[in-house]
Amino acid sequence: MLNLPPPEILLQLSLNGALGGAMYGVAAVGLSLIFGTMRLIFLAQGAMIILAAYFVRALFYGLGIDPFLSLLIVVPVGLVVGWLIYQGLFRKAAAEEDRNVSLLIAVGLMFLVQNLMTVIWGGNTAGVVTSYTATGIELFGVRTSFTRSMGFLIALAGTALVMLFLRKTIVGKAVRAASEDMDSAMLMGISPHRVNAIAFAIGISLAGAAGVAVATTFPFNPFAGFIFSLKALVALALGGIGNVTGALAGGILLGLVEAYVQFFISGGWTNAIAYGVFLLVLMFKPEGLFSRPYKKA
């Protein structure tokens, strides 16, 4: 018979899992936006997150800019980089019927970014250590790290801003319309390349925000991004492909699964069970646990 730990331990596990999973969630929100308009699973999202983490590290150690203040630099830079990547690499491929072309470009970009980071910063593990790295705060009667809590707030704020953009702005409504039915949106005068570029730019800017959270919370290396891409993809499937809020919820749910598996079973089983849940969801509830249609942005 399974002996349940005291309630405070369960609360600690749940809090740690939710805070860690939020980082998967914000990466999945970026994937969701890109998939919504381009129907592309952007596998280079994790590599862009790690690139942003190295950028945050360079700003901190080179210019003394606090990692969380660097959000004011990283997010706008992510918007510009995302726009340029779409225009330079994906604009022509996005017009093709065969989505495999865009997928192959994304894989090629992932390997390119990984190797560029290795050349520039080396392959050793890096991190960002600040005066508050080891600082803990108390939430709901349990203690957790300050940086994880800030990462959670970044994820919530990023998702909220994306939802406000999609629902309250004319451009955001155009992105939603294109994600639901691109042909009808084109008949209404909406440029597919414009909405694709906007969605892609926001997706990369969210990768930048996730990079801030990763840089302040975890050690990282140039090849750590692939794991983040996989975890973001799992979160996306759990929440519902194309569902922005579901993507964040899916990331938090994945974080909870990982926390419980590590405690009750073994850390060695974490990835196996997480990917097993991913496969079960795709088999029995492919629209996601939050039952949103694929075409919803």
Side-chain angles (χ1 to χ4, degrees), residues 231-255:
K231 296 297 177 67
L233 182 57
V234 173
L236 187 61
L238 291 177
I241 295 177
N243 178 4
V244 169
T245 54
L248 177 62
I252 293 174
L253 180 59
L254 177 60

Side-chain angles (χ1 to χ4, degrees), residues 5-209:
E8 59 270 19
I9 299 297
L10 287 175
L11 182 58
Q12 183 78 63
L13 285 173
S14 300
L15 184 61
N16 289 342
L19 294 181
M23 282 183 271
Y24 301 148
V26 71
V29 170
L31 281 183
S32 180
L33 273 175
I34 294 170
F35 179 86
T37 59
M38 295 178 62
R39 297 298 183 264
L40 165 69
I41 300 297
F42 185 60
L43 291 177
Q45 185 80 344
M48 301 306 295
I49 291 173
I50 300 302
L51 179 62
Y54 274 109
F55 184 40
V56 170
R57 185 175 185 271
L59 290 174
F60 178 64
Y61 288 113
L63 300 177
I65 299 175
D66 182 87
F68 293 115
L69 287 180
S70 70
L71 276 168
L72 300 175
I73 300 173
V74 175
V75 172
V77 168
L79 285 169
V80 174
V81 170
W83 182 279
L84 292 175
I85 290 175
Y86 174 79
Q87 298 294 346
L89 295 179
F90 290 97
R91 181 183 175 93
K92 184 176 180 180
E96 300 287 339
E97 290 286 338
D98 186 1
R99 298 303 180 196
N100 290 328
V101 176
S102 294
L103 181 61
L104 289 173
I105 293 173
V107 172
L109 178 63
M110 178 183 70
F111 288 125
L112 174 63
V113 172
Q114 285 178 346
N115 283 278
L116 283 176
M117 289 189 291
T118 303
V119 170
I120 297 172
W121 291 293
N124 295 327
T125 299
V128 174
V129 180
T130 67
S131 59
Y132 49 76
T133 295
T135 301
I137 60 174
E138 188 168 310
L139 293 173
F140 309 112
V142 297
R143 289 189 65 80
T144 189
S145 73
F146 172 76
T147 53
R148 280 179 177 260
S149 301
M150 288 297 294
F152 185 77
L153 292 177
I154 289 171
L156 289 183
T159 304
L161 289 172
V162 168
M163 292 307 301
L164 284 174
F165 168 75
L166 292 175
R167 293 179 177 177
K168 300 298 183 181
T169 68
I170 295 175
V171 176
K173 290 176 181 178
V175 171
R176 290 179 64 195
S179 69
E180 292 177 5
D181 191 332
M182 182 65 81
D183 292 333
S184 297
M186 290 172 65
L187 292 175
M188 296 173 64
I190 295 174
S191 167
H193 289 305
R194 184 168 181 242
V195 295
N196 284 344
I198 290 170
F200 202 93
I202 295 174
I204 300 302
S205 71
L206 287 171

